[in-house]
Amino acid sequence: MSNRIALAQALAELAPNNEQYEAAITREHCVVLAGPGSGKTKTLTTAMARVLMDDVVDPRGVACITYNNECATELEERLAKFGVANSDRSFIGTVHSFALTQVIAPYTRCIAQLLPDDFRVATSSECRAAVEAAYKSVFGDMGNSHDRWRFAEEKRRRDVDRTLPAWKGKNPELATFIEAYEAELRHKALIDFDDMPLIAFRMIKEHSWIRDALRARFPVLFVDEYQDLGHALHELVLLLCFESGIRLFAVGDADQSIYGFNGANPGLLQSLTARGDVKTIRLRFNYRSGAKIIRASLGALGEERDYCGWDGAPEGDLSFWPVEGDLNKQARYIAKAVLPSLLGRGLQLEKIGILYRAAWLGDKVADALKETDIAILRTDGNALVRRNSRLARFVEACSRWVTGGWRDALPPYHRLLGQALAIVYGGRVSEAEEQAMTLQLMAFLRSGIDRNETTHAWLIRFCRELIAPWQGIVRNTHQEWEVCSELVARTDPALGLDMPLNVFSGQIDGSGRVTLSTLHSAKGREFDAAILFGINAEDFPNWRDAKSERAMREARRLFYVGVTRPRKELCLVFEKGNHSPWVAELYQRSQKV
């Protein structure tokens, strides 16, 4: 009954916004076009909870495909409020995880000679070795194998259906390279990440009984951030939803498509909205940003949109910070002037984000902040914890539980147990396996409470008491054990890298941390204030952006993502007299009423 009450309350909260409410109660193929701050995650999770309670009879359920594991974790946490757990009735995860756990692992042994029975996911070093061996067999010793492979990767992700003429007809030498690479992997009983959706697509296309099985289990498919998920997911959607009868609920925003280097294509989302059998709903209200920031964001995008703020929303503000000097001086200026200005006006450190294009720029900001008493939380590629690693995020969550989270069940123990079972077994577990894991995990967690260990010492125990025994019983074909050894190395006290465990976990009473993030990693996040660093003429856009109109459009979308992160204030830091041309457009738009 409490789950029903939670759903009724959520629907009532959506009711004043006709578009959100309509999306949550629809019972047909639906695409929700959701701009920044439009409440798309709340709409998505409410729709999922309603479908599970009203439309789908137990034991059938729903699947939700997300862009990365961080998005999946957020959805799991929100759905938990409705009593919905990531269980046999619901799948929440990436397209790679869906392909591996819902298609390949359950059905591959039913298809002769598809994959070896003992296959596993290749490590990055094994993939590199396979690229080099395949290149030598196809092209000989001339040239750079990994440079050529970048072009092959693009073709591999784009040309999903290899029965079409384009596979061999366009760049046939790359097709041969790809096939030789995959043969190298299979010879060693390996698959890689890009293999997962590709193999799943071929299995689903060639075997109607697999489509029937998936439709029986998941009559509704939800997709979050559709514009980021690429050709393989799109082809799976066409097969599963428009040929096999699974209902589609997709959420996305072509204006925030920023992963072209991974095969994302905003045109795929737009092609769904052009279909006559799909209802398109557009969320126009921005509940995050003030009106001035919303107006300015259209200057970042360079196109007109009809987004608007909600009644009574604060105006918001933009501030421009020209600095005499290079990127190093701009970083120091953030530490000495911009951040103190925001803090002096009552903004909290943990609600401020410093955003930039690449992780090496984050190094400059981190170095500048070392001279202050300001603590940082990095979420870019140079972060201590890999944000898109399930195992790394599990380690971090365990440290949070040990350092005080156990008092308020933040995170709740049952979620830690579910994550551990998924890491080790990857699928169904027996009652005995779950009971054994419960005893083992709880014993380790309890042993760390009030032990006053450093992060390095705690991680060594984590590896010895959990990871080592797990390696002996693991059934999950995607193993990330190297993550733990990386964390141990990155906290080596001999190199001055160790820290108190409550710092690693973020459980520091009375002390917040400012977030340092690339613009790509900041997507989906929000802050009270965002500082955009390095918005210089030659950096944003840079020379790579100028190579093509497509690259320039994606650069503008990336800038747009950064501009739309803050609720209250957007700060732009750049070299005096050398600002990005887009900064002027922002200023002009922000002045309009």
Side-chain angles (χ1 to χ4, degrees):
M1 182 62 70
S2 60
N3 297 342
R4 280 282 177 190
I5 293 172
L7 175 60
Q9 181 179 346
L11 288 169
E13 290 171 359
L14 296 184
N17 184 315
N18 293 334
E19 291 88 357
Q20 287 183 333
Y21 186 78
E22 183 183 6
I25 65 171
T26 188
R27 286 180 166 84
E28 57 189 297
H29 291 313
C30 181
V31 171
V32 179
L33 300 179
S38 61
K40 64 100 176 172
T41 304
K42 183 176 183 179
T43 304
L44 173 64
T45 51
T46 303
M48 283 185 67
R50 191 203 63 75
V51 166
L52 281 167
M53 292 184 205
D54 294 345
D55 296 355
V56 178
V57 178
D58 193 0
R60 305 179 83 193
V62 301
C64 181
I65 293 176
T66 68
Y67 177 70
N68 58 31
N69 285 320
E70 198 164 1
C71 294
T73 300
E74 181 185 3
L75 289 175
E76 288 171 5
E77 290 173 353
R78 293 207 185 199
L79 284 165
K81 297 174 183 177
F82 296 102
V84 175
N86 199 5
S87 64
D88 285 345
R89 276 204 77 201
S90 65
F91 166 86
I92 305 170
T94 64
V95 65
H96 300 89
S97 178
F98 178 82
L100 182 62
T101 65
Q102 307 303 314
V103 183
I104 298 173
Y107 306 123
T108 187
R109 295 190 183 193
C110 301
I111 303 171
Q113 298 181 329
L114 179 63
L115 288 173
D117 288 346
D118 59 346
F119 80 91
R120 63 175 175 83
V121 180
T123 64
S124 57
S125 60
E126 288 170 329
C127 291
R128 288 182 64 85
V131 166
E132 290 162 7
Y135 184 88
K136 186 173 183 179
S137 69
V138 174
F139 301 109
D141 294 323
M142 299 295 292
N144 186 302
S145 58
H146 297 288
D147 284 348
R148 193 70 171 269
W149 181 246
R150 281 194 283 272
F151 294 101
E153 277 186 311
E154 183 177 346
K155 178 179 176 63
R156 191 178 181 215
R157 290 169 180 158
R158 183 186 63 246
D159 295 344
V160 177
D161 190 345
R162 297 184 183 178
T163 65
L164 298 177
W167 176 246
K168 287 290 191 181
K170 189 174 182 181
N171 302 119
E173 75 286 353
L174 293 182
T176 303
F177 186 13
I178 292 165
E179 290 168 354
Y181 163 78
E182 291 172 349
E184 288 287 336
L185 290 182
R186 301 300 180 272
H187 180 66
K188 297 180 179 178
L190 298 172
I191 65 172
D192 71 1
F193 268 91
D194 283 341
D195 265 322
M196 296 177 192
L198 295 174
I199 292 170
F201 168 78
R202 290 198 286 273
M203 291 172 66
I204 291 169
K205 183 177 182 182
E206 294 170 9
H207 302 280
S208 61
W209 59 269
I210 297 180
R211 298 198 293 273
D212 293 340
L214 289 169
R215 185 178 66 251
R217 187 174 183 194
F218 301 126
V220 184
L221 173 65
F222 291 84
V223 183
D224 189 22
E225 303 288 7
Y226 196 98
Q227 75 284 346
D228 292 333
L229 289 161
H231 290 266
L233 181 277
H234 185 67
E235 295 294 337
L236 284 171
V237 164
L238 295 180
L239 273 177
L240 292 174
C241 298
F242 301 112
E243 292 188 29
S244 304
I246 293 176
R247 190 206 306 170
L248 173 67
F249 186 103
V251 180
D253 180 11
D255 291 337
Q256 296 186 76
S257 179
I258 57 174
Y259 295 100
F261 58 89
N262 272 344
N265 181 350
L268 302 178
L269 174 64
Q270 292 163 339
S271 72
L272 289 183
T273 65
R275 295 181 63 102
D277 53 353
V278 173
K279 174 188 282 188
T280 299
I281 297 174
R282 195 155 178 269
L283 305 185
R284 297 176 296 108
F285 286 92
N286 184 328
Y287 294 97
R288 175 190 301 152
S289 303
K292 197 171 186 179
I293 297 173
I294 295 172
R295 291 196 301 270
S297 70
L298 299 182
L301 189 60
E303 296 182 22
E304 295 298 327
R305 297 289 184 270
D306 62 348
Y307 295 133
C308 53
W310 49 278
D311 290 341
E315 180 74 358
D317 201 9
L318 278 76
S319 58
F320 300 85
W321 301 79
V323 180
E324 294 273 8
D326 60 11
L327 289 165
N328 291 314
K329 291 182 178 177
Q330 292 166 46
R332 288 195 291 272
Y333 194 77
I334 289 173
K336 294 179 179 178
V338 184
L339 269 176
S341 173
L342 293 172
L343 297 173
R345 284 181 277 122
L347 287 157
Q348 296 176 298
L349 199 62
E350 61 269 21
K351 294 183 180 179
I352 300 172
I354 303 174
L355 315 180
Y356 36 82
R357 286 200 76 167
W360 63 270
L361 290 168
D363 294 340
K364 294 182 181 296
V365 179
D367 289 342
L369 289 173
K370 284 179 182 177
E371 303 171 12
T372 73
D373 293 327
I374 296 173
I376 66 172
L377 171 65
R378 293 193 71 165
T379 62
D380 59 24
N382 289 341
L384 177 58
V385 177
R386 289 193 207 171
R387 307 313 298 177
N388 199 30
S389 162
R390 281 258 175 178
L391 179 55
R393 292 178 66 79
F394 172 71
V395 172
E396 187 179 41
C398 286
S399 72
R400 194 173 300 122
W401 194 94
V402 166
T403 54
W406 58 272
R407 294 187 183 91
D408 303 308
L410 293 174
Y413 172 74
H414 70 81
R415 187 177 301 153
L416 294 179
L417 176 62
Q419 290 171 350
L421 291 168
I423 287 166
V424 176
Y425 298 112
R428 295 179 183 273
V429 297
S430 68
E431 186 175 337
E433 288 169 338
E434 182 172 342
Q435 186 175 29
M437 178 67 77
T438 298
L439 295 173
Q440 183 187 42
L441 180 60
M442 183 54 76
F444 173 77
L445 292 173
R446 283 180 171 171
S447 71
I449 296 174
D450 296 328
R451 192 163 175 158
N452 296 320
E453 288 175 295
T454 67
T455 299
H456 187 74
W458 182 82
L459 286 169
I460 288 175
R461 266 202 326 114
F462 188 99
C463 293
R464 183 178 66 247
E465 297 177 26
L466 291 184
I467 298 302
W470 287 356
Q471 287 177 300
I473 60 173
V474 65
R475 286 202 304 269
N476 191 350
T477 55
H478 179 210
Q479 301 164 20
E480 300 179 287
W481 309 129
E482 73 280 359
V483 165
C484 290
S485 56
E486 287 175 5
L487 286 170
V488 170
R490 291 181 180 185
T491 56
D492 187 347
L495 300 176
L497 301 175
D498 204 0
M499 65 190 78
L501 188 57
N502 62 349
V503 173
F504 173 77
S505 69
Q507 302 276 30
I508 311 173
D509 292 337
S511 175
R513 295 187 288 176
V514 65
T515 298
L516 272 58
S517 174
T518 61
L519 291 162
H520 285 95
S521 295
K523 189 169 175 291
R525 299 172 184 266
E526 60 183 24
F527 306 94
D528 280 351
I531 302 169
L532 268 60
F533 164 53
I535 313 300
N536 305 310
E538 68 278 7
D539 299 317
F540 225 148
N542 62 28
W543 63 271
R544 292 185 183 88
D545 303 326
K547 282 187 170 182
S548 69
E549 183 180 352
R550 179 180 174 183
M552 186 64 76
R553 287 300 312 145
E554 179 151 321
R556 288 205 78 133
R557 293 195 295 267
L558 184 62
F559 188 47
Y560 174 70
V561 164
V563 169
T564 54
R565 294 312 93 196
R567 288 184 283 264
K568 298 178 180 178
E569 184 162 349
L570 174 66
C571 308
L572 295 109
V573 178
F574 48 84
E575 184 179 6
K576 187 175 182 179
N578 189 38
H579 58 71
S580 164
W582 300 336
V583 169
E585 293 184 46
L586 253 68
Y587 178 78
Q588 291 168 7
R589 292 274 187 158
S590 68
Q591 300 307 302
K592 294 180 180 179
V593 179

